Amino acid sequence: MADITLAALSKVYPGGTRALDAVDLTVADGEFFALLGPSGCGKTTLLRTLAGLETATAGRVTIGGTDVTDLPPGRRDVAMVFQDYALFPHMTVTDNIAYPLRIRKVPAGRRRAKATETAGALGLADHLTRRPDQLSGGQQQRVALARAMACHPRAFLFDEPLSNLDARMRLEARTFLKRLQRELGVTTVFVTHDQAEALALADRIAVMEHGRIRQLGPPTEVFRRP
Ligand code: ADP
Ligand code: ADP
């Protein structure tokens, strides 16, 4: 079980910006959950605080029943995929995917096997020795996903991972992400500012505004016109 609970979660940045204002939220195990809202409303801060990349000013974060509020990113068992994919430019596809396993001190042979298997599952088998600059945007996105999957995290945290793709690839990637998440059943929190994307992907949507959740529900409810 990897349900995610935020209890009265607040984040005030050193400059005084209250990016999260006592947010309460529960994401169910296996749910595909989208965070929507205008630029600056706190979506990325929420995701980064979940990942442990930012420390909460107040409140608690629980993942699968474990309070992770005081745990560093590496011990939260979640995988984040960034907008720019954050791949290592000098490393091959295999080495990029295997990197988190190297950090976890998985032996080289197992690392390579796992990376190759995950790359295969994402249709990257023919590109294992390429570097990121030799791949299309969509392929780079799949390498970032493979890297996130390879260590079997309890949750995926996506920060606008499709926004750098062109319109056609974005549609393909959407379908692909949805299928992947269904098959793996991994709890997923997905940040986007694109309503159509949230509508296509999410089981539920939270619309944020000024560090708070203004609306919460399934897409059909949230997008119903008043
Ligand atoms: P979103 O992802 O919805 O665009 P963010 O979480 O990035 O929103 O930002 C929420 C608020 O916090 C904004 O007002 C932003 O300017 C501010 N903010 C984000 N990161 C920092 C930071 N590192 N230091 C200070 N303020 C920040
Ligand atoms: P296996 O059970 O051998 O890992 P699957 O066909 O179930 O193979 O999975 C295909 C790929 O998806 C694997 O390479 C694995 O890395 C990844 N995967 C499977 N289950 C999970 C999970 N719970 N979390 C993250 N990744 C997973």
Side-chain angles (χ1 to χ4, degrees):
M1 283 292 277
D3 51 319
I4 296 172
T5 302
L6 312 183
L9 193 71
S10 290
K11 173 68 183 180
V12 181
Y13 283 109
T17 303
R18 183 171 290 274
L20 297 177
D21 191 3
V23 173
D24 291 308
L25 176 68
T26 298
V27 178
D29 183 44
E31 188 171 26
F32 203 125
F33 192 92
L35 279 175
L36 203 68
S39 180
C41 70
K43 304 182 295 294
T44 299
T45 302
L46 194 155
L47 209 65
R48 291 177 59 85
T49 310
L50 243 176
L53 300 171
E54 299 287 351
T55 21
T57 310
R60 311 304 299 176
V61 178
T62 309
I63 301 175
T66 310
D67 189 325
V68 300
T69 317
D70 301 317
L71 294 182
R75 294 191 47 211
R76 293 190 178 201
D77 212 2
V78 299
M80 188 141 168
V81 176
F82 299 92
Q83 187 172 3
D84 61 1
Y85 314 134
L87 299 175
F88 298 106
H90 59 287
M91 286 187 195
T92 63
V93 166
T94 305
D95 290 344
N96 263 287
I97 298 173
Y99 184 78
L101 301 171
R102 203 169 101 198
I103 297 298
R104 286 169 174 76
K105 306 210 189 309
V106 173
R110 276 238 314 277
R111 235 158 50 207
R112 183 157 295 273
K114 189 73 207 168
T116 307
E117 177 201 325
T118 310
L122 294 194
L124 294 165
D126 295 336
H127 309 303
L128 295 177
T129 58
R130 294 199 191 179
R131 289 192 323 263
D133 66 355
Q134 298 168 310
L135 300 171
S136 73
Q139 288 166 340
Q140 291 181 39
Q141 192 236 7
R142 279 183 278 152
V143 175
L145 275 176
R147 185 173 60 182
M149 281 168 55
C151 34
H152 294 256
R154 292 189 297 171
F156 287 134
L157 307 176
F158 293 147
D159 193 359
E160 306 213 28
L162 310 187
S163 61
N164 284 329
L165 300 177
D166 65 36
R168 195 174 56 85
M169 259 206 277
R170 198 152 60 225
L171 278 183
E172 260 175 42
R174 233 189 241 168
T175 312
F176 174 77
L177 261 191
K178 184 77 183 168
R179 208 190 67 216
L180 187 72
Q181 199 269 347
R182 277 282 130 78
E183 282 172 9
L184 300 179
V186 178
T187 310
T188 301
V189 181
F190 186 100
V191 164
T192 180
H193 60 258
D194 182 341
Q195 285 204 6
E197 203 161 281
L199 187 61
L201 287 170
D203 297 315
R204 278 192 310 153
I205 293 172
V207 183
M208 292 185 70
E209 201 182 293
H210 301 306
R212 295 190 186 165
I213 292 173
R214 285 294 175 206
Q215 258 186 301
L216 177 69
T220 47
E221 250 171 54
V222 169
F223 294 136
R224 195 169 47 204
R225 299 191 185 282

